Amino acid sequence: MPIIKPYFIVNASRFASTIASGTGTGATFEIAATAFTDDTGAPATAFPTTYSYYNLYINGMIQTDDTSTVTTAEITIPNGDTLADQTPVFIEFVTT
Protein backbone atom coordinates (compact mmCIF):
# COMPACT_ATOMS: atom_id res chain seq x y z
CA MET A 1 0.00 0.00 0.00
CA PRO A 2 1.47 3.42 -0.90
CA ILE A 3 2.01 6.05 1.72
CA ILE A 4 -0.12 9.12 1.11
CA LYS A 5 1.08 12.28 2.75
CA PRO A 6 -1.60 14.58 4.13
CA TYR A 7 -1.99 17.82 2.26
CA PHE A 8 -2.88 20.87 4.28
CA ILE A 9 -3.65 24.20 2.75
CA VAL A 10 -2.07 26.88 4.87
CA ASN A 11 -2.83 30.52 4.29
CA ALA A 12 -1.32 33.44 6.12
CA SER A 13 -2.07 37.13 6.36
CA ARG A 14 0.77 39.33 7.56
CA PHE A 15 0.68 42.85 8.95
CA ALA A 16 3.51 45.29 9.73
CA SER A 17 3.82 48.39 11.92
CA THR A 18 6.09 49.93 14.55
CA ILE A 19 5.81 50.50 18.28
CA ALA A 20 5.45 54.24 17.58
CA SER A 21 1.94 53.54 16.25
CA GLY A 22 0.76 52.32 19.65
CA THR A 23 -1.16 54.13 22.35
CA GLY A 24 -1.55 53.68 26.08
CA THR A 25 0.97 52.61 28.68
CA GLY A 26 1.78 49.51 30.69
CA ALA A 27 -0.84 46.77 30.51
CA THR A 28 -3.07 48.83 28.20
CA PHE A 29 -0.53 49.51 25.43
CA GLU A 30 -2.11 48.64 22.11
CA ILE A 31 -1.66 49.16 18.41
CA ALA A 32 -4.80 49.56 16.29
CA ALA A 33 -5.25 47.29 13.29
CA THR A 34 -5.56 50.42 11.15
CA ALA A 35 -1.97 51.36 12.09
CA PHE A 36 -0.69 48.28 10.21
CA THR A 37 -0.10 47.63 6.52
CA ASP A 38 -0.89 44.29 4.90
CA ASP A 39 1.19 42.08 2.58
CA THR A 40 0.51 44.39 -0.36
CA GLY A 41 1.55 47.52 1.54
CA ALA A 42 -2.04 48.76 1.75
CA PRO A 43 -3.37 50.11 5.05
CA ALA A 44 -5.19 47.44 7.04
CA THR A 45 -8.80 48.01 8.03
CA ALA A 46 -9.05 45.13 10.54
CA PHE A 47 -7.37 41.90 11.55
CA PRO A 48 -8.92 38.60 10.40
CA THR A 49 -12.01 37.44 12.28
CA THR A 50 -11.13 33.74 11.99
CA TYR A 51 -7.71 32.12 12.13
CA SER A 52 -6.05 29.02 13.55
CA TYR A 53 -3.32 30.91 15.37
CA TYR A 54 -1.20 34.03 15.11
CA ASN A 55 2.49 34.74 15.49
CA LEU A 56 3.76 38.03 16.88
CA TYR A 57 7.26 39.20 15.98
CA ILE A 58 8.79 42.17 17.78
CA ASN A 59 12.06 43.38 16.30
CA GLY A 60 12.18 40.17 14.26
CA MET A 61 11.92 37.87 17.28
CA ILE A 62 8.93 35.58 17.67
CA GLN A 63 7.11 36.17 20.94
CA THR A 64 5.51 33.70 23.32
CA ASP A 65 1.75 33.35 23.57
CA ASP A 66 1.53 35.32 26.82
CA THR A 67 3.07 38.41 25.24
CA SER A 68 -0.10 39.71 23.57
CA THR A 69 -3.81 39.50 22.97
CA VAL A 70 -5.50 40.33 19.72
CA THR A 71 -8.95 41.31 18.48
CA THR A 72 -10.10 42.35 15.02
CA ALA A 73 -9.50 45.98 16.02
CA GLU A 74 -6.14 45.91 17.84
CA ILE A 75 -3.28 44.01 19.40
CA THR A 76 -2.45 44.60 23.05
CA ILE A 77 1.22 44.25 24.01
CA PRO A 78 1.61 44.87 27.75
CA ASN A 79 4.53 47.23 28.43
CA GLY A 80 5.15 47.66 24.70
CA ASP A 81 5.47 51.37 25.41
CA THR A 82 8.88 50.68 26.97
CA LEU A 83 10.29 49.67 23.57
CA ALA A 84 11.94 52.09 21.13
CA ASP A 85 9.51 53.80 18.75
CA GLN A 86 11.28 52.41 15.66
CA THR A 87 10.91 48.78 16.81
CA PRO A 88 9.12 46.80 14.07
CA VAL A 89 6.03 44.77 14.93
CA PHE A 90 4.79 41.99 12.63
CA ILE A 91 1.70 39.84 13.08
CA GLU A 92 1.05 36.72 11.04
CA PHE A 93 -2.43 35.16 11.13
CA VAL A 94 -2.45 31.55 9.94
CA THR A 95 -5.46 29.59 8.73
CA THR A 96 -5.49 25.93 7.76
Side-chain angles (χ1 to χ4, degrees), residues 15-87:
F15 299 87
S17 190
T18 63
I19 289 294
S21 298
T23 59
T25 59
T28 62
F29 180 81
E30 61 189 33
I31 304 174
T34 55
F36 285 80
T37 55
D38 64 17
D39 280 340
T40 67
T45 56
F47 292 136
T49 56
T50 58
Y51 53 90
S52 297
Y53 63 92
Y54 73 95
N55 292 316
L56 171 65
Y57 298 85
I58 297 176
N59 204 24
M61 298 295 296
I62 195 164
Q63 303 298 303
T64 57
D65 190 42
D66 62 344
T67 307
S68 64
T69 56
V70 68
T71 68
T72 57
E74 78 245 338
I75 183 163
T76 301
I77 306 168
N79 299 316
D81 58 310
T82 62
L83 301 170
D85 284 349
Q86 303 82 6
T87 303

